[in-house]
Amino acid sequence: MSAIALLALSTITLADESEAVAVSVGAYDAFENAATEVGIEYRFRPLESVADLVPAVGVGINSDDDYWLYGGFRYDMDFAERWVFTPHIAAVLYEHEDGIDLGGNIQFRTGAEIAYKLENRSRVGIGIYHLSNFGLEDENPGAESIIINYSFPL
């Protein structure tokens, strides 16, 4: 079985784009009890042989001292000369402190971003995402965040 996994991984090729770092700020649980949120995300080069998916890992914290780590995939879709629409999905490890109790430590993050590409290949964007345990726990209130971000290539 591990030989099959190694063979599959060996066929993954990376697109000719650089890695990037994104920093964000916004409103966590934006439609209920909004708290300030900040985050940082590392975006790997797109996986050319896997539909140009962009692996990403990140960390976020809010002013209620909740924090989370996540890893998942993004998919960039250019829709105008400098504009890009990016849906994304990630698995999340979530630690609840004083903010909304999402029902457990395992969460999922789904969302989308619209960004404008600048001359230096950096981006300025606005996004929305939803955190939820997808019914893995009895409690599943979910939370939406609205963020602005700036990403720059490495």
Side-chain angles (χ1 to χ4, degrees):
M1 187 67 162
S2 60
I4 293 171
L6 286 174
L7 179 60
L9 289 174
S10 69
T11 63
I12 293 175
T13 55
L14 300 174
D16 191 24
E17 291 184 31
S18 64
E19 296 89 1
V21 171
V23 292
S24 62
V25 63
Y28 174 84
D29 198 19
F31 303 113
E32 296 291 327
N33 306 307
T36 302
E37 168 185 332
V38 295
I40 188 165
E41 181 176 271
Y42 180 82
R43 299 171 181 173
F44 294 85
R45 288 174 39 196
L47 301 173
E48 187 176 83
S49 60
V50 187
D52 288 334
L53 289 176
V54 178
V57 294
V59 61
I61 188 168
N62 66 30
S63 57
D64 291 329
D65 295 326
D66 299 335
Y67 57 94
W68 53 96
L69 304 170
Y70 62 91
F73 295 96
R74 304 169 53 82
Y75 183 71
D76 290 341
M77 295 184 281
D78 293 331
F79 66 90
E81 184 176 338
R82 292 187 177 264
W83 291 93
V84 61
F85 174 74
T86 306
H88 50 83
I89 187 167
V92 179
L93 293 175
Y94 179 81
E95 185 63 36
H96 163 68
E97 293 297 328
D98 295 329
I100 186 172
D101 183 355
L102 295 179
N105 296 105
I106 304 298
Q107 302 291 318
F108 297 92
R109 174 180 164 152
T110 55
E113 169 189 307
I114 294 176
Y116 182 77
K117 296 178 187 178
L118 303 172
E119 291 288 331
N120 62 0
R121 295 183 17 231
S122 63
R123 296 180 186 181
V124 175
I126 186 166
I128 186 169
Y129 70 86
H130 175 76
L131 277 179
S132 167
N133 64 46
F134 283 175
L136 294 176
E137 304 288 340
D138 291 335
E139 292 289 319
N140 186 24
E144 289 75 30
S145 288
I146 299 173
I147 59 172
I148 56 172
N149 65 54
Y150 174 74
S151 65
F152 53 93
L154 299 178

